[in-house]
Amino acid sequence: MPDSNCSFRGEDWQYNAMLNWSHFRFDLYAFAYKDAADGLVDAMANRKVPLNTGIYPLLFLYRHALELQLKLMLATARKLTVSVWPTHLPDPSS
């Protein structure tokens, strides 16, 4: 069966990419989307990317970074709520 991972190697470790790697921390995906958006803002500010074509990918990158961060916060809040939920109240996870 073929390996479902896809990797790209650069000259430096910072330029390596591995897709579909399940042991990657989920919050790093959110930071990566934000870093990419910040890089696109820099490129747009330096007129390397036109505003009219860069705005849609920029909005997508920031929105997706925010979505992933919110999902992480919800998962953490759910764990905290269940662990400190009073026993005389109905379980919020059910």
Side-chain angles (χ1 to χ4, degrees), residues 2-3 5-7 9 17 20 28 34 42-43 48 54 57 59 63-64 68 74-75:
D3 188 8
N5 291 338
C6 181
S7 62
R9 293 200 169 263
N20 200 23
L28 294 180
K34 185 187 178 303
D42 186 48
K48 294 178 182 176
L59 293 175
R63 184 204 58 84
H64 199 55
L68 293 174
L74 285 172

Side-chain angles (χ1 to χ4, degrees), residues 9 19 27 37 42-43 46-47 63 73 80 83:
R9 293 200 169 263
L19 305 176
D27 60 332
D42 186 48
N46 293 319
R47 299 183 185 269
R63 184 204 58 84
M73 290 182 344
L80 290 173
S83 67

Side-chain angles (χ1 to χ4, degrees), residues 12-77:
D12 190 354
W13 70 270
Q14 293 175 328
Y15 298 107
N16 292 344
M18 187 169 198
L19 305 176
N20 200 23
W21 186 43
S22 63
H23 301 295
F24 204 63
R25 284 188 10 218
F26 194 59
D27 60 332
L28 294 180
Y29 285 112
F31 293 128
Y33 276 100
K34 185 187 178 303
D35 286 344
D38 291 344
L40 186 53
V41 165
D42 186 48
M44 291 168 71
N46 293 319
R47 299 183 185 269
K48 294 178 182 176
V49 174
L51 295 176
N52 61 341
T53 58
I55 192 67
Y56 297 109
L58 178 69
L59 293 175
F60 171 81
L61 291 168
Y62 277 130
R63 184 204 58 84
H64 199 55
L66 179 62
E67 175 188 344
L68 293 174
Q69 286 291 343
L70 289 172
K71 286 181 178 180
L72 285 168
M73 290 182 344
L74 285 172
T76 303

